[in-house]
Structure formats: structure tokens, C-alpha cells
Amino acid sequence: MSSKPIIYQIENLTKNYTFYSSIINLILGSISNILIILILSTTRTCRKNHCIFYLIVGSITDIGLIFAYLPFKIAGEIFGESPVNASTIWCKVQLTVCSILALCSLITTCFLAFDQYLSTNPRQQWKAMSTLRLAHRLTFFNVCFSISHNIVFIIFAENGKFGCAIYNPVVKTYFKVFFYPIFIIILPLTFIGLLGLLVYRNIQWHMRRRMIVMRRRLDRQMSVIVLARVLSIAILGSPFLCTTLYEINLNDNEENENKLAIYQLASAISYSLLYASYSMFSVGLDIGTTSCKICVVSCDAQHSVLFTEQLPHHAHIVQKEFPSYDEQSPVKILDIVNELFKKSTYLKDDSSIKSIQICGQMHGLILWSSKSPRTIVSSLVTWQDQRCSTEFLSSLGSMLTHLRTGYGLATLLWLMEQQKGKDDDLLKYDRAGTIADYVATIFCDDEVTDQSQISTQMATSWGAIDNQWPVKHRLLPEIVEPGTIIGYYKKKIPIYVALGDLQCSVFSCQPEKNEGIINISTSAQLALVTDKQSSNHDQLLSPMRVPYFQSKDLLVAASLNGGNVLSAFVHLVHSWNSSINSDSSSLSLDTLWSRLIQRGLESNSIIENISAALFGERHDPSMSASLTNIRSIHMSQLNDVGSVFRSICHWIIKNLFEMLGNDSSTINGIIGTGSALMRNGVLQREIQNRVQCQVKFNEHSDAAYGSALFAFMQ
């Protein structure tokens, strides 16, 4: 008799707890999952991300599961009987829908863990398997399997002594003996737990090689979310599923959705906390030869990428009268820079910007007036300019024998020579620098000094010797060290003197000792960080020594022939194809690129007597592209366009190592980066064939990220 009041109290407490917790879980679970779906589906950096796709699918199934069960549970507590228990049809439909969604959610979590294992895998071929296409296919399989398996509930579910459940002894035995203990508990926990450990191992592998700073913020967050889900399942899932199995044996699974809602709430809270830890960031901007790129880096321990975007500037000025000239419009470049700043929501809040660092092409020259820099400005004479002939350079004297065409100082001296005996058009300018120096000045509301400033990195590429100009001229800027503040953006955000894109690209990779960096974009470089020495001005030698950071130098094989050579070859093939075929049947450039890369990967031969020095080299301007010793026995190779394409790629890589000379023998590892290299599997394979050491390809390392990273460290 004395035990009855206690039982009634427990039952009453259970009823009240179930009612109020169901309401709370319905509200919070719905809001949290809806917010997850809205945030992930509307954020620009999250679009077309396969891991994000899994998370959205998981949130959709979870919110569907909440609405398929909790409203009926609440209605049953209010009216005394749930509609599910009053109707066999409602029973079959609800139990079937809940089972499909629950199984789909569990399998999605397994696929999410598998995706993170692939995306963090150090093996490039495994990492390449992690795609949005694979996510779509696995999700389609998941939905089909979940629906087909849970059709059994439509057939056998019914209302009985313990409410809506399956009472058929055979099916009940299947769920008790195999489905819940093995398929739902043992297999998923083992699978997810093992993959969680492997993901952790992969991350440790990257950290040991200092690769963690090169991972994007989104990629890092995905690993955190997956590991958090694995821990949630390990901590909450095991006792929950064991309790579920016990309840199923009793045909009473009333507490099931409470724990599910708690898990969903914990998942939503952990996800929101990830985005609450970032408040300050630095901005890096790379002014390239063909495009501009912006990178916003958070000021956390991992220097995570919050936002990155790249846009072509199409600033090239066609010079039909002077084909040797190579000039670009600074107005078009500024328009693209402004567009990049508008694209990022992070840059709308100036209070969160810690600093701005700009880098860019290093040898070019641009002139402007400090009184009106946007309107009184010359064209940009790029590093590819060929107006300074060998005769002109040789006439400059013994102190300037190191200058080459395209160098800023050489171009300035050429312009001065052209003004002799004429009205000096240079008088309207009082500033000179690279395009990156010009853009940095535009962003400065207040300049620190009355004289323009240029970093040691840019000055060396211009033609300075040991940080001193070999000649004097009023337009030559003051040479300062990297990290020098030249002005302020919006009166408060420091802007540092512009840096070289090569140095910033290497800095983004954080190479270890004797680890070489191959960067192939428009041009190509093979760089090696060395101890600082006095500059070697013997330009007959192909490797150059240029200033780096932290009292270090870069030993660089800087080739003028990189992605631009391959682009010229592809355009040549495209023009031949267009001239032979009608416009409707000719291949697009993108299609032609992909097919030539595929043919190159399939090719087994290399044409040895080929030179791809289409743009010459600074140490030997007489170099040119050629194909020699052609005889009938070689025609089979020439008939194979894949062999020709591969041979050009082979020459580009071989040329870099030959330019670096004996110093290349000290390299014990290679990091490959650059837009042209990342898109071209043939170039990647030729690097791997060339060296015996480990080769890593990092698509997230670039000058924009390196410049932002450097700004953060100031």
C-alpha cells in the first residue's frame, strides 16, 4: 500500500517531464536545426561544399524526425490519447516516417565522418575522392536504403498493449537480435569511432608538417564538427541506444525522442560556439598579372581563412603599334579590388579589421601623383614588358649591368631617355612604385611620410643593390623593411608597405629547412629559404637571391615561362581548331584545356628536343621556344598532342631545376602551389617524376593568404 503513492508520484513526474521537455525540445530543436540549414545554405563560403551538404541533409532529417514525433506526443499528453494510438493508419505512417528519418540521420553521420577522413587524408588520390558528386550519390543510396528497409513498419506496425509498435514475433526478433544491437549500435559506433581516430591522425600528420596553417577555416570547422559528433555519439549514443534496445524489448520507447532532441540541441550549441570564437582578422590582397585575390584571415591560433575570392581584372592594354610593350590599366585593377572588398561581409565592419597587407607583381612600374592618385596616374608597365632592348641596357653603364627589361628601374630610365629634348611628361608625377605600392597608397587615407616607400623585396626586384639605389632620381621611393606602416585605412587600420607576391607565396607554405617551393601561375618559380648573404649581382647566373623575412633570403629560380606558355599553346591549338571547323563544332577553351591535360596524363613519351622558352629568360633573353631535329621517325610523337603537351610541362619543370643549379640537390622536400600547377595534373606528375623526395601540393597556399598571415604577425 505504501508503495502506491511513490509510483503515482513517479508516473506523474514522468508525465509532466515528458510534456514540458517535449515542448522545449520541439521549440529548441526546430529553431536550432532551421538556423543551421539557413546559415549553411546562405553563406557564400559554404556553398558547393560536400561536408556542408551532409550537415544540411542531417539537419533536415533531424528536424523532420522531431516534427514527426513530438507534436503527437504533446497532443497525447493534452488530450489524454495520441492520434497515433487512435488510428492504425496514423500508427503505420508515423512509425515508418520516424524510422526512415532516424536511420537516414545515422547513416548521414557515418558518411560525414567518412568524408572528413577523405578530405584530411595526406594521400592526394584519396583526398580527390571527396567531392560533392560523391556526397550526392551516397545520400541517394542512403535515402533509398532507409525507405526500402523501413517498409516493414507499413506492413507490420499496429496498436497493441504497449501502443504503436511491431508485435509480429519474427520481425520483432530481427529488430532485437540484429538490427538495433548490431546495425544501429555496434557497426555505426565502430565505424564512426574508427574514422574519428583516423581523422585525428590525419590532422596530426598535417600539424607535424606545419600544414595546419594552410587549411581553410571552413575545412577546419568541418573536422571540429565531425569530431564533436563522434564524441557526442560515443558519450550520449551508447547509453541512449542501449536504453532504446531495452525499451524496445519492453515495447516502450517513450523516452527516445527526448535524448534525440538533447543531442540535436548539443549539436546546435557546439556548432554556434565554433562561430563565436573569431572576432578580429587581417586582410591580404594580391595584385597579380591576370587577376586579383583577397584573403581574410582570422586572428586565432590557426590563422584560419574566413573569406577568399579571386577575380580576373582584364586590365591588359592592347598595343598594336608597339607589340613589345606590355601595359595594364590601373583603373580596371582598382575596380576589381573594390569589387573584392564589397564581396566580403567581414570587411563591412571596420572595427574588426586588424591590418591590411598588399602584395603583387614585383618588377613592374607605375607612376602617379600624390595630389590626385586616382586621376593623375600612368599605365602599369608590367614585368613582361620588352621595350628595354639589349642595346639600351648595355648603354646604362657598369653600375646597371644587372638590370633587365621589365625591371622597374630599367623602365624608369627608359622613360627618362625618351623625354630628352621634349617636354618632360614625368614632371606631373611625384610617386613611383609597383602596382601593389600604388594600390596600397590608394587605400591610405593618411600617408605616414611625404615620400613614397617601397619594401626591400620590391626594391631588389626593381634593381636596387643591397637596399640602395644605384642611381639617384626624385621619383625613386625610399627603401624600407617589410612590416613598415605606410599609412592608415579609415584613419585607424594600419597598411603595411607592399610585399612581393613570391615571398608571400613562400611564406604561406611555412616551409621547413631545405624544403623547396614550386609556384607556377603565369610565370614559374622554384624557391629555397637560405641564410642571408650579401647580394650576388652577377646576373649571368640564373638563380637569384632576394630578400625574404626574418633575416632570411630566398634563392630563386624565377622563370618567365610558366602557365603563360601552356596558355599560349592551348590558344594556338584552339585557333587551329576554330579555323578548320565551324564555330558550332569548335571546342571551347575550357574543354580544350581539360582534354589536353587528360591526353598529357595518358601520354607515355616525352619529346626531348623541345624548348618552351617562349618568353626568354632574364639571365638569357636570347632563349626562345623551338622544336629541333624533326625527322620522320619523330612524327608519331608530334601526332600525339598529349605527348607535345606533356613535353612542354616537362620542360617547364626541368628548366626550373636547371636554373637553380647545384642548390637543387640540397632540397629534401617540395611544396607545390600556384593556380596553374593546382589545375594541371601533368605538371604535378612531372614534379614527382623529377625528384626523389616527398612532394606535397597545397591549393590553399598563395600570396594573398601569405600577405594576410604576415600582417597578422606584425
Side-chain angles (χ1 to χ4, degrees), residues 212-324:
I212 192 68
V213 298
M214 296 180 284
R215 299 188 63 206
R216 296 155 68 96
R217 176 178 184 252
L218 187 59
D219 295 335
R220 188 183 66 84
Q221 286 181 331
M222 293 307 100
S223 296
V224 173
I225 292 174
V226 172
L227 291 176
R229 281 180 173 263
V230 169
L231 290 176
S232 298
I233 291 176
I235 296 173
L236 300 177
S238 296
F240 163 65
L241 289 172
C242 290
T243 303
T244 300
L245 183 60
Y246 173 76
E247 291 172 347
I248 284 189
N249 282 312
L250 295 176
N251 282 329
D252 185 6
N253 55 3
E254 186 173 309
E255 298 293 327
N256 193 0
E257 267 62 46
N258 292 326
K259 291 187 180 293
L260 174 62
I262 292 173
Y263 168 74
Q264 291 299 323
L265 179 59
S267 177
I269 293 174
S270 64
Y271 178 81
S272 64
L273 288 176
L274 286 174
Y275 280 86
S277 59
Y278 305 103
S279 57
M280 294 292 291
F281 47 83
S282 59
V283 180
L285 185 65
D286 177 26
I287 314 298
T289 308
T290 58
S291 64
C292 299
K293 186 172 185 178
I294 195 171
C295 185
V296 181
V297 174
S298 68
C299 297
D300 61 356
Q302 285 74 32
H303 320 310
S304 311
V305 176
L306 304 177
F307 172 82
T308 184
E309 184 79 31
Q310 183 172 4
L311 293 174
H313 51 61
H314 304 297
H316 180 71
I317 300 174
V318 178
Q319 300 279 358
K320 294 183 178 179
E321 187 177 355
F322 304 102
S324 63

Side-chain angles (χ1 to χ4, degrees), residues 588-601:
S588 67
L589 278 172
D590 289 341
T591 302
L592 189 57
W593 267 107
S594 61
R595 291 191 180 182
L596 285 174
I597 291 174
Q598 184 60 37
R599 296 293 185 274
L601 291 172

